[in-house]
Amino acid sequence: MSNSINSIQLLGRLGQDPESSWSENGIRVGASLAVTIDKDTTDWYPLTAFGKTGEILANYVRKGEQVNIQGRISVNRWDDKSTGEPRARVQIIVDRVGLIGSNSRNALQTV
């Protein structure tokens, strides 16, 4: 049996204000992160955060603000109901958020 590590760290800007929802397990926050690869290329990553990390993301970060995200990659797979074709969606499950910038509300640097 092989050992594996699923870990990712990204530095980018939020592409939208975080959106919060509640479930029986607590808060779930979604957003997207724009990561610039070079002057002509930007990759977009969907983010999901839960619990205290989700609360921090929802309360302290807004669209356009720069953050350092640490977490893991999650792949959701399903079959399209209309075509039967396999589909997949990759998202980043956020474990830690580093707030970057001079904005005074970003005094809390890493959670």
Side-chain angles (χ1 to χ4, degrees):
M1 187 167 167
S2 68
N3 291 331
S4 62
I5 298 174
N6 181 351
S7 178
I8 189 166
Q9 181 172 347
L10 297 167
L11 177 65
R13 295 187 181 274
L14 280 195
Q16 67 188 60
D17 285 342
E19 297 177 5
S20 302
S21 61
W22 290 90
S23 71
E24 61 218 27
N25 297 327
I27 190 170
R28 177 186 178 275
V29 177
S32 62
L33 186 70
V35 177
T36 303
I37 305 304
D38 57 40
K39 68 178 187 158
D40 298 319
T41 308
T42 299
D43 286 344
W44 291 86
Y45 297 91
L47 306 175
T48 301
F50 299 97
K52 190 68 173 171
T53 303
E55 290 177 27
I56 297 297
L57 190 61
N59 292 328
Y60 291 97
V61 186
R62 293 289 168 255
K63 177 180 178 178
E65 293 181 345
Q66 193 171 31
V67 292
N68 179 10
I69 298 295
Q70 295 176 24
R72 63 183 172 85
I73 300 169
S74 174
V75 181
N76 297 320
R77 294 179 175 87
W78 70 95
D79 290 330
D80 187 287
K81 290 181 182 178
S82 61
T83 65
E85 295 290 320
R87 302 280 185 218
R89 179 179 187 264
V90 175
Q91 66 179 334
I92 307 302
I93 305 299
V94 180
D95 295 323
R96 296 186 64 153
V97 177
L99 307 174
I100 300 171
S102 60
N103 192 332
S104 61
R105 70 183 177 157
N106 285 350
L108 179 61
Q109 289 299 309
T110 302
V111 290

